[in-house]
Amino acid sequence: MGRIFEKRKESIFKTAAQKSKLYSKYGKQLYMAAKNGVPDPEANPTLRSLVERAKRDNVASHVIEKAIQKAAGTGGEDFQAARYEGFGPGGSLLIVECLTDNSTRTISDVRSCFYKTGSKLAANGSVVMSFDHLAVLSFNGDDEEKVIEAMFAADVAVEEVECEDGTVTIFAPPVEFYKAKTALLEAFPGLELEIQEIRFLPQASKILSGEDLGLFERLLGMLNDFDDVQEIFHNIVLPS
């Protein structure tokens, strides 16, 4: 019984740690979106989109409300966005996006993760050039023609529309995100988007194996352990 309890306890602690990381991540992003715009999701598209994502990821309502209320007050944390680029194990490419109230601490933590896995930080611009920065909207469906018609009618500069295995995915410039989303929801009332985000997509993917894969996964794990790290984009196809 003791061994079973220990395993269960470990699982509970692990789940709690993951939830804490998730809440911290969304708390910062919601605070920044509300602080940089208005603390009202109905009048702030960026904030509204984040609230929707947070709810889909099962972030508690009180966490969402607290972050928005905090931004509506005076003072508070002064978070800054920071982006770091680097070369990881096996020639992997990484983009690490952070929100921090202490840039010295954050770059030191990120640099330490890279150093401990035989990786190195790169100059700004040297890695992002191998990625496309795009708005991505995806949902269950197969009516590609109706989607293209909706984008055309709304004058959305779409990069590409893919329809595969019952899923439609739209790729568009980041500035077209909200216009594309609005056009979709008007064309398909009640539509539930599986993905709605702006992200870096690698222009070419790579597969790692052996020691390189182990080091790469270790690097991802270490980076994800830091609350300041919000998103990590890379060009590696991870094992399913």
Side-chain angles (χ1 to χ4, degrees), residues 142-153:
D142 55 13
D143 199 341
E144 183 178 353
E145 286 189 14
K146 187 174 180 180
V147 171
I148 294 174
E149 288 174 3
M151 296 299 106
F152 181 77

Side-chain angles (χ1 to χ4, degrees), residues 86-113:
F87 300 103
S92 55
L93 305 175
L94 297 98
I95 300 171
V96 184
E97 293 198 330
C98 305
L99 278 177
T100 177
D101 58 358
N102 185 330
S103 58
T104 302
R105 177 198 67 223
T106 302
I107 191 170
S108 175
D109 288 342
V110 171
R111 183 182 287 114
S112 175
C113 293

Side-chain angles (χ1 to χ4, degrees), residues 139-145 147 160-171:
F139 62 95
N140 293 327
D142 55 13
D143 199 341
E144 183 178 353
E145 286 189 14
V147 171
E160 189 176 354
V161 176
E162 287 183 356
C163 185
E164 188 175 345
D165 298 328
T167 299
V168 177
T169 305
I170 298 169
F171 300 94

Side-chain angles (χ1 to χ4, degrees), residues 44-54 177-178 181 196:
N44 184 335
T46 301
L47 179 59
R48 183 168 65 248
S49 180
L50 268 174
V51 169
E52 292 171 358
R53 280 178 57 192
F177 177 82
Y178 296 108
K181 180 180 175 180
Q196 48 173 318

